[in-house]
Amino acid sequence: MGRDKGYTTVSIPTTLYNRIKELIKDTGFTSVSQYVTYVLREIVAEHEQSKTVEPFTEEDRRRIIEKLKKLGYL
Amino acid sequence: MVSRPHGGRLVKRVATGRRRERLVLETTEMYSLDLTYEQAIDTEDLGRGVFSPLEGFVVEDDFLSILNYMRLTNDVPWTIPIVLDVDRERARKISMGDEIALWYNNVPLAIMRVEDLYQWDKYKYVESVFGTKSPEHPGVAKVRSMGEFLLGGPVELVGEVETGLERYILWPDETRVLFSELRWRTIVGFQTRNVPHMGHEYVQKSALVFVDGLFINPLIGWKKKGDYRDEVIFEAYKVLIEHYYPRKSAVLAGLKMNMRYAGPREAVHHAIVRKNFGCTHFIVGRDHAGVGDFYSPYEAWEIFEEFPDLGITPLFIREAFYCRKCGGMVNEKICPHEEEFRVRISGTKIREMLSRGERPPSEMMRPEVADRIISFRKPFVE
Ligand SMILES: [Zn+2]
């Protein structure tokens, strides 16, 4: 997988690197990079959570509610 | 709040009013591409935000990224490329940058801006998506018959694919409003193509114990011979909900979406789609979206470990059966008894009995549900 341009490098302190290396022994993670990617994605997704924009105007919402009532959902 | 749409923004590319009228007029001057039913369904799902954040058929960079990494080029998880294929002859008549009209059933369905036109490696596609090259796999067989080129680019709907099932269908923007009106904060999605038996009810209710609402979302509009008709599935569920589910605990609505039989990858895809509908949780079944023996029973469960950022929580609930010693519906996880006490639910057996006009045993199907199905003169697709 890593042979094409799908990867890049970031720097982390060596102490942290070693700490993670120790942590992931005998787990499903096969490398520090894999672990860091996993954890970052988890946290980034959490941070993105607060940045949601619902695309509806009040008018859209009202029209949808009307339809939902007509179909018996509300 | 209901779940954040996948990729952060719910797509809705549906032209209305004056804009729609103008676009429809313009289609006469555009290159026209006639879509198959399946392509039309994909187009409609794209425009309606079912596949948010995709705004159209994938371009080559995303296509390759999905095959290689199960992610879009912006790192958002995505497991199945949504593609529009054309043969060489048609590809020759289309250029990048063109606006083309997508027609279905002699009616313009959408306008597409062609941002990419590329050849694809079908072997790589089937190996990545289906995990096999075997022509016995229906997905592989399908890909083989497709055109050599793919078109990528955003679509805007000017029409819809009529199925006569419109009264059963809700789109993501609609369910999101519905769930928030119902004051549901946690919602579990359930994917199905079948009439409900006791096993389904058990799995749904096991999940419902922990969340505010259940969203039952059958795939409709593409049935093959011998399947239960869409209307039958809906009416059967209505009866079940009316008799056996607390008020305002379940929403039933259909989804026009293609089945690809991609097992694990499709399980993730199904979860993403339900996230767009507003679900926070999704029930992943045994051999979810599988076919034949191509996937091991719990492969679809393992793949979720690769997505800590999926944004929807998969619920893995084991198949249910009736245990005479336990005296109720249970599963492997909670019943210690021998096989001789267990009544396994067989879809084939239920179907046979129903087609003879007989009620299946009450351990397998609610009598009200069975009666409703039997009340149809022709419950199966002919
Ligand atoms: Zn038991």
Side-chain angles (χ1 to χ4, degrees):
Chain A
M1 286 239 298
R3 63 194 143 72
D4 57 68
K5 58 184 182 340
Y7 288 83
T8 188
T9 2
V10 291
S11 306
I12 58 169
T14 317
T15 48
L16 175 59
Y17 181 91
N18 291 334
R19 188 173 165 191
I20 295 171
K21 207 169 147 190
E22 194 58 35
L23 176 73
I24 63 174
K25 267 186 195 161
D26 309 316
T27 68
F29 294 104
T30 55
S31 71
V32 172
S33 295
Q34 198 191 30
Y35 176 84
V36 169
T37 304
Y38 184 90
V39 170
L40 273 183
R41 277 181 170 146
E42 190 167 30
I43 291 172
V44 168
E46 244 171 64
H47 291 178
E48 285 170 343
Q49 193 72 28
S50 56
K51 288 180 139 189
T52 307
V53 206
E54 286 288 355
F56 322 119
T57 61
E58 265 315 298
E59 170 66 20
D60 291 337
R61 210 183 153 81
R62 209 178 43 75
R63 221 180 12 240
I64 289 171
I65 289 175
E66 242 165 59
K67 176 179 171 182
L68 292 169
K69 282 184 176 157
K70 211 176 78 194
L71 287 175
Y73 285 102
L74 284 172
Chain B
M1 270 317 285
V2 296
S3 173
R4 180 178 189 264
H6 199 54
R9 201 175 57 84
L10 191 70
V11 169
K12 188 171 179 186
R13 299 181 58 85
V14 185
T16 53
R18 280 258 171 76
R19 178 173 172 77
R20 186 185 160 276
E21 283 169 30
R22 184 170 59 75
L23 288 174
V24 169
L25 273 178
E26 285 174 11
T27 56
T28 53
E29 289 153 26
M30 294 175 188
Y31 178 79
S32 295
L33 190 64
D34 283 315
L35 302 182
T36 63
Y37 178 72
E38 283 162 330
Q39 291 171 332
I41 293 293
D42 278 345
T43 305
E44 196 173 21
D45 285 340
L46 284 164
R48 287 288 183 167
V50 173
F51 299 146
S52 301
L54 298 189
E55 298 192 331
F57 293 100
V58 295
V59 295
E60 189 173 20
D61 285 349
D62 279 322
F63 176 82
L64 293 173
S65 179
I66 296 165
L67 295 191
N68 290 332
Y69 308 116
M70 299 196 284
R71 288 176 182 271
L72 300 174
T73 49
N74 64 3
D75 203 55
V76 168
W78 200 271
T79 49
I80 296 189
I82 308 298
V83 298
L84 180 57
D85 64 301
V86 285
D87 57 24
R88 192 172 289 273
E89 192 193 331
R90 287 190 181 82
R92 218 181 276 141
K93 294 176 182 147
I94 299 170
S95 308
M96 281 203 246
D98 283 357
E99 295 220 306
I100 62 171
L102 306 181
W103 290 66
Y104 177 66
N105 242 348
N106 303 316
V107 182
L109 174 64
I111 311 294
M112 176 180 184
R113 192 171 71 245
V114 179
E115 285 182 351
D116 207 356
L117 169 59
Y118 54 103
Q119 270 188 297
W120 57 314
D121 182 344
K122 291 187 180 183
Y123 280 111
K124 187 179 166 70
Y125 181 98
V126 298
E127 287 224 302
S128 303
V129 173
F130 303 116
T132 175
K133 283 181 185 168
S134 165
E136 307 285 306
H137 187 292
V140 176
K142 176 95 209 10
V143 166
R144 278 187 159 199
S145 71
M146 288 166 73
E148 302 300 305
F149 290 83
L150 299 179
L151 299 175
V155 296
E156 183 169 0
L157 296 175
V158 295
E160 64 181 306
V161 181
E162 286 183 23
T163 50
L165 300 163
E166 282 66 32
R167 66 191 181 284
Y168 295 128
I169 291 171
L170 291 180
W171 296 107
D173 58 336
E174 296 164 341
T175 53
R176 298 178 82 82
V177 170
L178 175 57
F179 298 158
S180 80
E181 286 294 305
L182 290 169
R183 304 278 182 272
W184 290 358
R185 297 174 65 87
T186 50
I187 301 116
V188 63
F190 184 79
Q191 139 89 32
T192 185
R193 297 179 280 147
N194 226 322
V195 294
H197 58 49
M198 292 298 283
H200 300 127
E201 182 181 332
Y202 173 84
V203 167
Q204 292 169 9
K205 287 185 171 174
S206 301
L208 190 51
V209 169
F210 301 100
V211 295
D212 299 331
L214 167 68
F215 177 46
I216 302 166
N217 195 206
L219 296 194
I220 59 175
W222 57 275
K223 294 286 180 300
K224 59 181 193 302
K225 198 174 164 220
D227 287 345
Y228 292 96
R229 288 194 296 113
D230 290 318
E231 195 191 355
V232 175
I233 294 175
F234 268 85
E235 294 306 316
Y237 259 110
K238 276 192 193 163
V239 168
L240 178 69
I241 292 169
E242 185 191 327
H243 290 271
Y244 295 98
Y245 286 65
R247 252 175 66 78
K248 305 249 179 209
S249 68
V251 162
L252 170 70
L255 169 59
K256 285 182 261 179
M257 184 168 80
N258 293 310
M259 264 307 289
R260 298 159 211 271
Y261 303 103
R265 278 199 183 224
E266 193 165 18
V268 175
H269 182 68
H270 283 168
I272 291 172
V273 163
R274 275 35 180 249
K275 181 184 169 190
N276 285 328
F277 276 90
C279 294
T280 52
H281 295 71
F282 180 68
I283 296 169
V284 184
R286 184 181 180 280
D287 197 23
H288 193 107
V291 60
D293 294 327
F294 283 100
Y295 310 104
S296 63
Y298 296 107
E299 220 176 311
W301 295 14
E302 289 155 16
I303 191 174
F304 281 88
E305 287 172 14
E306 306 202 24
F307 302 101
D309 52 343
L310 199 61
I312 179 165
T313 307
L315 297 179
F316 307 120
I317 305 173
R318 287 175 186 269
E319 254 185 333
F321 47 82
Y322 184 86
C323 172
R324 280 195 291 268
K325 257 207 162 151
C326 290
M329 294 300 295
V330 288
N331 66 18
E332 296 285 351
K333 194 127 181 255
I334 54 174
C335 161
H337 303 118
E338 319 280 303
E339 192 58 39
E340 54 174 306
F341 299 107
R342 296 174 172 181
V343 183
R344 298 277 173 181
I345 299 172
S346 152
T348 317
K349 190 168 176 193
I350 291 176
R351 173 189 304 264
E352 279 169 12
M353 294 191 72
L354 290 172
S355 62
R356 287 197 302 265
E358 295 165 21
R359 272 187 191 172
S362 61
E363 295 87 4
M364 291 194 188
M365 183 173 264
R366 297 285 188 189
E368 295 88 345
V369 172
D371 289 350
R372 186 70 186 98
I373 297 169
I374 293 166
S375 76
F376 284 90
R377 274 197 307 143
K378 292 173 179 168
F380 303 105
V381 177
E382 291 179 344

